[in-house]
Amino acid sequence: MKLEVKPAYEVTKSKTGADLLVQALKEENVDTVFGYPGGAVLPIYDAIYRAKDAFEHILTRHEQGAIHAAEGYARVSGKPGVVMATSGPGATNLVTGIADAMMDSLPLVIFTGQVARTVIGTDAFQEADVMGITTPITKQNYQVQSVSDLPRIVKEAFHIAGTGRPGPVVVDIPKDISANQCKDHYDTAFYLPGYQPTTKPNPLQIKKLADALSQAKKPVILSGAGVMHGKASSSLKRFAEKHSIPVTTTLLGLGSFPGNSPLSLGMAGMHGTYSANMALYECDLLINIGARFDDRLTGNLQHFAPQATVAHIDIDPAEIGKNVSTQIPIVANADDALKDLHNQATQSPDHGAWLDSLNNNNKNYPLWYNNPEQEMCPQWLIKTVHKVTNGEAIVTTDVGQHQMWAAQYYTFNEPNRWVTSGGLGTMGFGFPAAIGAQLADPKRAVVAVVGDGGFQMTMQELSVLQEKNLPVKVIIVNNEALGMVRQWQEAFYEKRYSESLLHVQPDFVKLVESYQIRAFKITYQDELVRILPEVFAYDGPVVLDCRVLQEENVYPMIAPGKGLHEMIGVKP
Amino acid sequence: MKRIITALVHNRSGVLNRLTGLLQRRQFNIESISVGRTETEGISKMTFVVEIADEQKLEQLTKQLHKQIDVLKVSDITDKAIVSRELALIKVVSSAQLRNEMNGIIEPFRASIIDVSKESLSIQVTGKPEKIEALVDLLRPYGIKEIARTGLTAFLRGQQPAVTELTSYSLLK
């Protein structure tokens, strides 16, 4: 039964700051807002109510769900994700997602309510120092001090979030600002002399890289998420193919280069492929495009690309030289840099021998697992999902073993189909992110690959699936453990499984069914093979509780402190 | 090595917090910091004195500072021809009999006595930090009751030496 709500009185109020905000969002072409109401944002929610179809508002069941959904939306649509939450606990519940978006350079604009200006600083009810809390985890943040600033601040916030190196921007709005009456129009012109991202590369540096390329016998490209932010995937493909340069991607860069290309080495890093890591170890020219040399990628820096000339293309100058010393720095948008480079670089020496040796590595030391007859091996599970979805689904994940298996065994050939929490490694990210991804691309199959641990952190968002009937397919890779924690305890803490086993669990099928969502428990391979085509044909949400082999670990692996060439668990 | 880094910033609430927080998060220890308005309205200048281990860290610091949206310009002016000053107020135990002796000590420093009471004298001194240290050392035996220092503020001299091999880390170069 649904409660029909009608306004108890005629709304005759003249325009408020909140109306101004709704109007500003409309002018930014916002179509979806993820949020959760509360005291300090009541004027804003009232304005949303009165503006009826200004945009779709998705009511998540926790602010963390709202912000992860907005991240998924931003990753898939390329537009800033918009979040709204109330003051105090509403705002603090967003903190994990803001930090996550900051680490993975996702454009978000976050509106938080704040207590009225008259009581700010008095420890008022539901007051939190949002500016102080979010300063270190935002690209920029604002507290609106005058309603006349509001339209300009919204404009600035969207501009800052979505340009240069994308990132989250917080706008904190005191309740009296949104509640008070105001004029119809204010100036939105802004001037940010301190924020002028360089997008065009320096021609001399491009020439330097072209020269280095014409000398290089063992070049390799490392492609990161910056390639996708810069919409440079096709330029990258053209450039790599022209010069036959092998390409490896970071975890977040999966899909920036077609995984099925003969030049693709797959993912590099801690759980990357042997051939990708050996390519980084042996190369004489490393061209990093839009990756930030994260420690999970480089392993021990002493053994990272020891013989290579390092070129780094990044829109954020602060990333260049931060972790790895760089001989050819190029501050630019990835697409502009690649196009200029394509025009400059003419020829490179034949590196057939280099490609052959990498191909041999690929052939001799592939990703591997032992597939039993009946029980489900998690790697097999991902491969099967890949097969059934034709490799075309959008895949979101939490963090942990299932994330690495999805990265290893779901081959991505197109950009913006892989939504994962890389830098911060946030459990609970995958399921709400899938909701945002599905809203951003309603026609495409969206699969949330989650662990039994991570799913239980944000599974209250099942309500959103039910309410909006979003056809997200949730695959719980259930090994009754915090798998990656257990794997590390097994490897480095002599199997002392301290608080990492989750033998007590809800009956996921019953739980999901209580939301009137279809759910199945799958234990054996043939069950999955039978049901998966039906699951993906069905136009609605489905949750699969997949009971996988519990003792399976993620290999190969670079142990902490080890170099790229010291992988363990490589197939002999 | 000790570096003097200046930053021109928008005078907006929260900027100081953003920059000092950034330094703290990246494990830089700020030795002193001074902030004040400039000749342009709405623009303030910060002068940081920071102990930095190596050039790579120094480059990171200036790049990270410059990345902030409210920061207009960052310069490492340590190796340039600069004018740098700090102001210190020093309250010293001093009886009436000692006044002349005090005067003899502070005069070469071009410091001045700005407050006198029965048991103490307050001295104002400006100059490079080393000069202030030297005066403090001389006054210490008399008994220092209180010191307040502003931290260093600095800018480039009107004219720079023609030839310099020293690198600047300004990103706007």
Side-chain angles (χ1 to χ4, degrees):
Chain A
M1 194 189 84
K2 273 199 180 153
L3 189 65
E4 282 302 323
V5 191
K6 288 201 177 111
Y9 55 93
E10 273 305 295
V11 181
T12 51
K13 275 188 276 180
S14 60
K15 214 177 187 83
T16 63
D19 294 311
L20 216 55
L21 173 65
V22 171
Q23 188 187 327
L25 292 180
K26 270 187 353 202
E27 271 166 34
E28 294 296 329
N29 293 317
V30 171
D31 51 27
T32 312
V33 171
F34 302 89
Y36 205 102
V41 285
L42 279 174
I44 299 174
Y45 274 82
D46 194 51
I48 292 174
Y49 186 91
R50 281 182 277 119
K52 275 288 174 240
D53 300 316
F55 41 72
E56 184 166 19
H57 180 278
I58 305 295
L59 173 69
T60 55
R61 265 48 172 182
H62 189 290
E63 286 87 353
Q64 189 186 2
I67 194 154
H68 290 327
E71 288 182 87
Y73 175 91
R75 172 74 279 168
V76 170
S77 72
K79 298 196 291 185
V82 182
V83 182
M84 206 162 280
T86 194
S87 65
T92 54
N93 276 346
L94 296 174
V95 167
T96 304
I98 300 174
D100 191 271
M102 186 70 176
M103 285 286 253
D104 289 351
S105 309
L106 288 172
L108 293 186
V109 179
I110 300 130
F111 296 96
T112 51
Q114 182 56 273
V115 298
R117 280 175 301 166
T118 45
V119 288
I120 288 180
T122 64
D123 303 323
F125 176 65
Q126 291 197 329
E127 181 185 0
D129 175 13
V130 172
M131 294 294 283
I133 291 167
T134 63
T135 292
I137 50 170
T138 48
K139 189 169 169 186
Q140 179 71 317
N141 59 4
Y142 298 89
Q143 187 172 65
V144 184
Q145 292 296 343
S146 153
V147 71
S148 60
D149 292 337
L150 186 61
R152 175 185 54 81
I153 288 176
V154 173
K155 262 241 150 15
E156 273 185 31
F158 275 87
H159 175 71
I160 292 170
T163 56
R165 178 179 181 174
V169 178
V170 166
V171 180
D172 194 35
I173 307 177
K175 187 172 182 181
D176 56 321
I177 296 273
S178 54
N180 287 356
Q181 298 188 4
C182 67
K183 287 195 296 185
D184 242 0
H185 279 288
Y186 291 98
D187 200 6
T188 55
F190 64 84
Y191 174 55
L192 295 170
Y195 179 67
Q196 306 288 333
T198 309
T199 54
K200 299 283 176 220
N202 178 327
L204 287 174
Q205 297 293 346
I206 291 284
K207 173 140 194 335
K208 223 167 142 189
L209 177 50
D211 289 346
L213 188 59
S214 70
Q215 308 282 317
K217 294 196 179 68
K218 302 179 187 172
V220 67
I221 292 171
L222 173 67
S223 173
V227 170
M228 285 183 272
H229 290 301
K231 299 185 174 51
S233 290
S234 54
S235 298
L236 171 62
K237 185 162 176 275
R238 195 167 65 126
F239 174 69
E241 282 171 357
K242 179 181 174 190
H243 297 281
S244 328
I245 310 171
V247 180
T248 174
T249 73
T250 64
L251 172 71
L252 287 173
L254 287 171
S256 59
F257 186 76
N260 60 1
S261 161
L263 289 171
S264 170
L265 301 169
M267 181 175 77
M270 182 172 266
H271 293 294
T273 66
Y274 179 76
S275 70
N277 285 334
M278 287 312 283
L280 289 177
Y281 182 67
E282 290 171 348
C283 64
D284 62 358
L285 173 65
L286 169 58
I287 307 173
N288 171 355
I289 313 173
R292 57 185 181 86
F293 286 131
D294 180 78
D295 56 281
R296 282 291 194 270
L297 174 96
T298 61
N300 187 332
L301 281 169
Q302 276 190 329
H303 303 295
F304 182 77
Q307 292 122 42
T309 301
V310 177
H312 189 167
I313 300 170
D314 206 302
I315 200 154
D316 179 0
E319 283 307 333
I320 297 175
K322 186 180 82 176
N323 297 332
V324 172
S325 80
T326 301
Q327 287 75 48
I328 309 174
I330 299 176
V331 179
N333 177 315
D335 199 45
D336 290 298
L338 278 164
K339 279 184 177 144
D340 283 10
L341 197 56
H342 193 267
N343 295 336
Q344 272 274 338
T346 46
Q347 216 133 37
S348 47
D350 176 61
H351 22 78
W354 170 236
L355 287 176
D356 284 348
S357 84
L358 296 177
N359 277 335
N360 279 341
N361 278 342
N362 243 335
K363 220 172 290 160
N364 297 333
Y365 308 102
L367 295 172
W368 62 276
Y369 59 91
N370 295 318
N371 199 18
E373 290 241 319
Q374 288 209 304
E375 289 95 351
M376 274 195 295
C377 189
Q379 296 95 324
W380 174 88
L381 167 67
I382 303 288
K383 268 193 132 171
T384 308
V385 173
H386 177 263
K387 214 186 320 174
V388 174
T389 55
N390 237 342
E392 287 174 352
I394 292 168
V395 178
T396 74
T397 75
D398 280 345
V399 69
Q401 286 186 318
H402 68 278
Q403 176 192 34
M404 290 300 129
W405 287 318
Q408 289 176 334
Y409 291 95
Y410 198 101
T411 311
F412 294 90
N413 300 324
E414 298 285 336
N416 301 337
R417 303 249 175 106
W418 168 241
V419 184
T420 196
S421 167
L424 200 67
T426 305
M427 283 177 75
F429 171 86
F431 175 45
I435 291 172
Q438 187 76 77
L439 285 159
D441 194 347
K443 297 224 169 71
R444 191 169 292 281
V446 173
V447 187
V449 177
V450 296
D452 44 317
F455 185 57
Q456 290 185 66
M457 285 194 172
T458 47
M459 64 186 175
Q460 72 282 358
E461 305 310 338
L462 283 164
S463 285
V464 181
L465 278 197
Q466 176 193 15
E467 189 177 344
K468 301 286 170 188
N469 194 34
L470 298 170
V472 171
K473 316 298 183 223
V474 181
I475 310 250
I476 307 173
V477 182
N478 190 341
N479 55 6
E480 295 191 0
L482 306 175
M484 196 57 98
V485 174
R486 198 217 52 210
Q487 177 170 340
W488 280 53
Q489 286 172 339
E490 183 181 324
F492 310 118
Y493 297 89
E494 294 162 339
K495 299 192 179 181
R496 290 187 295 275
Y497 296 131
S498 179
E499 307 294 325
S500 61
L501 306 177
L502 303 177
H503 293 312
V504 176
Q505 280 184 330
D507 180 331
F508 283 111
V509 173
K510 276 191 186 156
L511 177 100
V512 173
E513 280 177 349
S514 76
Y515 288 89
Q516 279 114 54
I517 292 172
R518 295 175 73 176
F520 303 91
K521 178 178 167 184
I522 312 276
T523 313
Y524 297 107
Q525 288 189 19
D526 52 346
E527 288 178 298
L528 187 80
V529 171
R530 209 169 49 237
I531 200 168
L532 263 193
E534 262 182 67
V535 165
F536 281 98
Y538 173 66
D539 187 28
V542 181
V543 178
L544 297 181
D545 176 15
C546 297
R547 301 308 180 105
V548 298
L549 288 180
Q550 294 183 3
E551 66 278 9
E552 206 52 42
N553 284 334
V554 184
Y555 287 119
M557 176 179 188
I558 301 169
K562 296 288 182 181
L564 286 172
H565 60 305
E566 298 169 295
M567 292 197 90
I568 51 171
V570 179
K571 183 148 190 158
Chain B
M1 53 187 170
K2 207 174 280 180
R3 310 298 302 190
I4 304 171
I5 292 162
T6 60
L8 279 181
V9 302
H10 280 286
N11 188 356
R12 196 175 78 95
S13 84
V15 173
L16 183 63
N17 181 13
R18 189 168 269 276
L19 298 195
T20 52
L22 184 152
L23 265 62
Q24 179 210 21
R25 201 156 76 248
R26 292 178 187 270
Q27 300 192 352
F28 292 104
N29 186 21
I30 306 172
E31 205 149 289
S32 89
I33 184 170
S34 70
V35 193
R37 286 190 283 186
T38 64
E39 72 285 0
T40 317
E41 192 175 344
I43 306 288
S44 291
K45 183 171 200 163
M46 300 185 178
T47 308
F48 300 91
V49 179
V50 190
E51 180 71 38
I52 296 180
D54 56 46
E55 295 233 329
Q56 195 258 342
K57 286 204 116 187
L58 171 63
E59 187 183 322
Q60 246 318 284
L61 172 64
T62 52
K63 279 174 162 178
Q64 290 291 347
L65 283 175
H66 190 259
K67 183 171 155 178
Q68 303 308 315
I69 282 149
D70 285 314
V71 175
L72 300 172
K73 181 173 179 162
V74 181
S75 312
D76 174 10
I77 59 170
T78 320
D79 301 327
K80 296 279 179 67
I82 58 171
V83 188
S84 62
R85 292 290 181 273
E86 184 177 357
L87 183 139
L89 301 176
I90 308 159
K91 198 186 285 166
V92 197
V93 181
S94 172
S95 55
Q97 299 92 312
L98 278 171
R99 297 272 149 82
N100 273 339
E101 197 177 329
M102 283 288 173
N103 258 324
I105 292 172
I106 67 171
E107 213 239 272
F109 289 86
R110 275 179 274 172
S112 49
I113 293 171
I114 52 169
D115 181 54
V116 180
S117 74
K118 260 192 204 154
E119 288 101 27
S120 71
L121 276 180
S122 293
I123 296 159
Q124 167 194 310
V125 57
T126 54
K128 296 199 165 172
E130 306 86 71
K131 173 181 156 186
I132 292 167
E133 294 298 340
L135 179 60
V136 169
D137 282 347
L138 283 175
L139 293 175
R140 187 156 286 135
Y142 297 92
I144 290 177
K145 293 177 77 126
E146 201 176 343
I147 296 182
R149 296 173 70 160
T150 60
L152 196 73
T153 187
F155 59 33
L156 296 179
R157 284 184 184 277
Q159 201 167 1
Q160 292 294 305
V163 183
T164 170
E165 295 162 11
L166 305 162
T167 22
S168 153
Y169 289 87
S170 166
L171 287 164
L172 295 182
K173 206 172 47 157

